[in-house]
Amino acid sequence: MTNSAPIDLRSDTVTRPDDRMRAAMAAAEVGDDVLDRDPTMRALEERVADLLGTASALWVPSGTMGNLIALMLHLQRGDRFLAPHGAHVLNHELGSAAWLAGGMPDPLDWDAGPGRPTAEAVRAQARITTAYDALHTTLLCLENTHNGAGGAIVPPHEHAQLAAAAKELGLKVHLDGARLWNASAALGVPPKALTVGVDSVQVCLSKGLGAPVGSVLAGEAEFITAGRRVRKMLGGGVRQGGVVAAAGLAALDRIDSLGEDHDNARLLADGLAERGWQVATPQTNMLLAAVPDVQLTLQRLTSVGVLAVPMSGQVRFVLHRDVSEADVEEALRRIGQAGI
Ligand SMILES: *Cc1c(COP(=O)(O)O)cnc(C)c1O
């Protein structure tokens, strides 16, 4: 990176496929995935199912579609579903949970910490009743890591308690695990330790792991068979999908290196704190900074070639594989020099 090039900390989706990934894509064995499955797609889906501890899995073009397919299968029109306040399904998916899946969203407070509701909150808010005019609460939608809370981790024991509470209440559990890999790497536990008790889970290959496109929805075999039909209905069936599945397989080789992004997030947070910024200690690859005027700060950062985005009323910086430790130091130098 030259001295003046912008340092892009807007998201971990800005990564570009490297030569190794492009070579894997070019060499991929392919078939027609809609007609009778593509062999590389199949290999990717089996590997992800294995990592997540589910029977089956389905590649989808985006995390948004993965979440939508799950919600469409779990919800009947008018059902209430619970999700942590600020969840991606509530705030960043165009209302598709209501618009297309027909769900009535009911946000859960973060009473256990940033991005983390307690099992007691789930019990209280499910409001299970036999009253004839009551909503039916049928789904708990969790998010790990929680994006709006700055990449906050739900630890395995809390996750298990939440899933167990949902089961007692007769609710299905969907996990939006767009960045489950980051939680797994930060905790040093396998991804399947974080999917205990879920009926479905969605994971992204196009965030920290650096694939150009793709997410995977995982669950029981019957659920995935039904999901394949809904994916087709939504226009998400792809033909020679092996080309992008090969990128997904290369991406999965990188789970262990996510810790470098977490180290860089801490380096940036420490450097900003030294310069007087109010930053929460990052748990994974992102950090939120509280500033008096978010838009003004973002403009000033852009003018010195440091790109960030607004999130939850704060400035969000995301570390990823295309930003090195030296880039973080350079970003801090630019911020310091401009007195931001
Ligand atoms: C990015 C993200 C999604 C959606 O993924 P897309 O591939 O951008 O549609 C879902 N959930 C969370 C928590 C995310 O951060």
Side-chain angles (χ1 to χ4, degrees):
M1 178 168 292
T2 65
N3 245 7
S4 58
I7 298 168
D8 197 343
L9 304 173
R10 288 173 301 165
S11 176
D12 44 11
T13 57
V14 300
T15 55
R16 286 153 206 236
D18 61 14
D19 290 344
R20 189 179 155 259
M21 188 175 273
R22 287 172 192 257
M25 294 171 78
E29 193 192 334
V30 297
D32 187 325
D33 198 58
V34 176
L35 215 53
D36 56 3
R37 308 286 301 275
D38 170 293
T40 309
M41 274 290 194
R42 194 189 282 269
L44 172 67
E45 290 167 348
E46 283 172 5
R47 185 159 159 204
V48 173
D50 189 48
L51 281 167
L52 298 176
T54 63
S56 196
L58 179 73
W59 181 92
V60 285
S62 68
T64 299
M65 190 186 287
N67 285 338
L68 176 60
I69 292 171
L71 267 57
M72 287 178 79
L73 290 173
H74 291 315
L75 294 168
Q76 299 287 318
R77 186 178 273 232
D79 282 355
R80 175 196 278 129
F81 72 97
L82 308 179
H85 178 75
H88 203 276
V89 289
L90 299 179
N91 287 2
H92 299 284
E93 298 183 11
L94 303 98
S96 56
W99 191 359
L100 299 173
M104 180 78 94
D106 201 347
L108 292 159
D109 283 344
W110 299 350
D111 54 341
R116 291 155 42 213
T118 58
E120 292 73 61
V122 170
R123 282 189 201 98
Q125 213 155 312
R127 282 171 274 178
I128 304 295
T129 156
T130 52
Y132 84 96
D133 59 348
L135 303 189
H136 289 156
T137 307
T138 58
L139 177 68
L140 172 64
C141 186
L142 298 172
E143 186 172 312
N144 200 8
T145 66
H146 192 302
N147 183 346
I153 295 172
V154 180
H157 65 280
E158 282 188 24
H159 166 85
Q161 285 167 358
L162 289 162
K167 280 286 118 76
E168 280 163 30
L169 298 161
L171 314 187
K172 297 271 197 231
V173 181
H174 173 66
L175 172 61
D176 178 354
R179 295 187 183 79
L180 193 74
W181 316 119
N182 293 86
S184 153
L187 294 165
V189 302
K192 66 177 76 163
L194 299 166
T195 63
V196 172
V198 308
D199 296 283
S200 55
V201 47
Q202 181 278 122
V203 287
C204 285
L205 304 166
S206 62
K207 302 245 163 116
L209 299 182
V213 60
S215 282
V216 178
L217 177 65
E220 289 302 322
E222 242 175 64
F223 172 85
I224 293 302
T225 301
R228 191 177 296 279
R229 284 172 56 81
V230 178
R231 182 185 70 172
K232 178 71 176 141
M233 181 173 74
L234 297 173
V238 297
R239 300 291 178 177
Q240 283 69 41
V243 175
V244 287
L249 284 165
L252 290 173
D253 292 339
R254 299 167 168 175
I255 298 173
D256 292 340
S257 67
L258 288 171
E260 292 165 26
D261 299 340
H262 303 171
D263 291 345
N264 284 336
R266 275 191 296 274
L267 185 68
L268 181 61
D270 290 347
L272 289 174
E274 272 170 32
R275 286 163 178 74
W277 286 59
Q278 265 194 4
V279 279
T281 306
Q283 297 179 30
T284 52
N285 68 326
M286 53 177 91
L287 50 140
L288 295 176
V291 297
D293 185 336
V294 172
Q295 284 311 324
L296 180 67
T297 302
L298 289 171
Q299 273 168 25
R300 296 184 68 197
L301 287 169
T302 303
S303 73
V304 298
V306 177
L307 309 183
V309 292
M311 175 66 78
S312 308
Q314 301 184 60
V315 174
R316 187 190 76 169
F317 299 92
V318 185
L319 284 297
H320 53 79
R321 52 181 294 104
D322 287 0
V323 171
S324 66
E325 190 181 325
D327 294 330
V328 173
E329 274 153 11
E330 171 63 14
L332 286 167
R333 196 194 60 76
R334 291 180 192 182
I335 291 166
Q337 199 171 41
I340 303 172

